Amino acid sequence: MGHMDFGLVLQTDPPASRVVSLMKRAERNGFTYGWTFDSAVLWQEPFVIYSQILAGTTKLTVGPMVTNPGTRTWEVTASTFATLNDMFGNRTVCGIGRGDSAMRVAGRKPNTLARISEAMKVIRALGSGDEADLGGGTVVRIPWIKEGARLPVWMAAYGPKALKMTGEEADGFILQLADPYLTESMVRAVRDAAVAAGRDPARVTVCVAAPAYVTEDDSPAALAHAREQCRWFGGMVGNHVADLVSKYGADGSVVPQELTDYIKARQGYDYSHHGRSGNPDTQFVPDEIVDRFCLIGPVEKHVGKLNALRALGVDQFAVYDMHDAQEAVIDAYGSHVIPAVNS
C-alpha cells in the first residue's frame, strides 16, 4: 500500500500565534498538510494566518477545509491563493464546499452544486494563471501569475450528487468522517464518477478528516473522556447528514441507514457551538457513532483504522485537533502513529 499523508485541521480561534505554533509542531512531527475552517463570523480570517503558517514552515501545504463560493468573489479567492503560492511556492490547496456554517451564520443559504462547479473551474483556472469567464462574458486572467503556478481544488461531499460531481470535476475528495463502511461506499461513488467521465480515478486525491484522540490505554474511563472530547463531531457531521436525509429520504436507498438512524434523535442545532468540544447540541450523538466517525483509543487502534482506510483508497488522513489534548495528539501521531502507518 502507498504512503499516507497526514494533515492537521484547526479552527482559527485567537490567538493566531497558537494556530501557527500548532502547525509548526505538526510539520516537525511529519504532517504534510495544514488545514483550517473558514467561516468569517465564527473564526478569524484564515488566509491572513496561512501567510504566517507558510512563513514558519518549509514543506506544509495549507488550505481551507473548506471555503465556499459565496463568501468571497471567485477572483478574490483565486488571487489570494495565487499570492500565497507566489510568495511560498505552490504550497496551497483550495478545499471547497457548500459553505454550510459560513453562509447560514450570515443569513444566506448554502451554495448549490451548480455554483460550486462553476466556482471550482474559475478558481482553479485563475489560480493557475489561465483565463476564466466570471459570468456575463467577462473573461479575465491574473497577469502577474508566473508560469508553473497551479492550484488544486478539493471538494467536500457526502450526498450522491456531490460525490458524483467530485469524481467528475475535483482534484481531490474531502470526506469528513472516518467510518470505513461509509468511506468505502463514498470513495467508490467518487471513483465510479471519475471513470464515467473519462478521468483516471487515481488522479482524485482522497482525504478523510475526523477527530483523533490518543489514549494511554483502552480503559472505560480513558475512552469515555476521549468520546466526550470528540462527540461534537457527530453533531457537525449530523448537520450535513440531516440535510441529505431531508432531501433524499430516510429509507436507506440513497443515504446509508447507518447515517440516518442517529439523525432521528437530532434536535435543534446552534451554530455558535459549531465544531466545539463542549457543544451542548450533541447529546443525541451515541458512543457508537463517535467511535465509527472518529479515531479514538490507544495508538494501535489508530494504526489499525488508518491501515483499513488506506486499503480503501484513502491518500490522506487529516486530524481534527479540537479537544483538550492538541499537542499530545500531534506528538503521539509524530512519534508512534505516522511512522507505524508509513513503515
Side-chain angles (χ1 to χ4, degrees):
M1 280 191 292
H3 166 91
M4 195 179 218
D5 276 321
F6 285 84
L8 183 71
V9 190
L10 298 172
Q11 293 166 327
T12 48
D13 287 317
S17 56
R18 176 162 169 78
V19 176
V20 175
S21 95
L22 287 169
M23 290 294 186
K24 288 182 180 172
R25 189 182 197 113
E27 182 175 75
R28 290 198 300 273
N29 277 284
F31 288 73
T32 51
Y33 281 78
W35 301 93
T36 74
F37 282 31
D38 174 22
S39 196
V41 175
L42 299 178
W43 298 288
Q44 293 192 326
E45 172 55 39
F47 288 95
V48 177
I49 300 170
Y50 296 156
S51 209
Q52 296 279 329
I53 295 167
L54 289 162
T57 54
T58 56
K59 292 198 180 70
L60 211 62
T61 295
V62 306
M65 188 180 278
V66 289
T67 192
N68 72 83
T71 303
R72 305 171 190 82
T73 60
W74 303 344
E75 72 277 14
V76 168
T77 299
S79 179
T80 306
F81 278 110
T83 302
L84 291 169
N85 284 339
D86 193 60
M87 289 167 74
F88 300 105
N90 287 350
R91 287 170 54 201
T92 66
V93 55
C94 176
I96 196 165
R98 294 180 64 208
D100 187 63
S101 68
M103 296 300 281
R104 285 186 220 247
V105 165
R108 299 192 282 271
K109 285 193 173 74
N111 294 273
T112 62
L113 288 178
R115 212 168 140 66
I116 295 173
S117 171
E118 276 179 77
M120 286 203 297
K121 290 185 184 77
V122 169
I123 291 165
R124 184 196 287 121
L126 289 179
S128 308
D130 298 329
E131 287 189 339
D133 186 338
L134 292 177
T138 305
V139 176
V140 298
R141 196 181 144 266
I142 299 176
W144 49 262
I145 295 182
K146 295 190 191 82
E147 189 76 31
R150 58 178 171 76
L151 176 59
V153 179
W154 295 9
M155 182 172 160
Y158 295 110
K161 288 180 182 157
L163 292 168
K164 180 171 180 284
M165 205 178 98
T166 302
E168 290 169 350
E169 301 180 26
D171 300 304
F173 166 39
I174 295 170
L175 173 58
Q176 293 170 78
L177 50 80
D179 175 59
Y181 169 87
L182 294 169
T183 299
E184 182 175 24
S185 64
M186 291 182 181
V187 169
R188 191 185 313 119
V190 168
R191 295 215 152 136
D192 288 351
V195 171
R199 301 181 72 197
D200 174 1
R203 297 289 297 274
V204 185
T205 305
V206 177
C207 173
V208 160
Y213 199 101
V214 182
T215 58
E216 288 292 314
D217 51 41
D218 52 11
S219 68
L223 292 176
H225 177 77
R227 284 188 193 112
E228 284 318 308
Q229 287 294 310
C230 298
R231 200 173 301 276
W232 63 269
F233 183 69
M236 186 178 92
V237 172
N239 223 32
H240 297 290
V241 176
D243 280 352
L244 289 178
V245 171
S246 67
K247 192 167 165 191
Y248 294 108
D251 62 0
S253 64
V254 176
V255 184
Q257 205 62 50
E258 283 81 356
L259 282 178
T260 57
D261 283 349
Y262 90 99
I263 291 298
K264 289 180 188 147
R266 194 174 175 276
Q267 300 305 317
Y269 190 85
D270 175 0
Y271 276 98
S272 64
H273 301 289
H274 192 61
R276 305 216 180 263
S277 59
N279 190 337
D281 291 332
T282 56
Q283 293 319 301
F284 70 91
V285 183
D287 286 353
E288 185 206 3
I289 287 283
V290 180
D291 291 351
R292 289 180 67 144
F293 285 7
C294 306
L295 272 72
I296 285 172
V299 165
E300 55 274 15
K301 273 266 177 32
H302 292 249
V303 173
K305 193 160 182 179
L306 289 164
N307 284 331
L309 290 168
R310 183 167 55 174
L312 298 173
V314 175
D315 301 298
Q316 177 182 156
F317 177 64
V319 175
Y320 273 91
D321 204 27
M322 299 88 175
H323 46 53
D324 65 2
Q326 289 182 302
E327 284 91 350
V329 167
I330 293 169
D331 294 351
Y333 263 66
S335 304
H336 306 295
V337 178
I338 296 174
V341 171
N342 285 326
S343 59

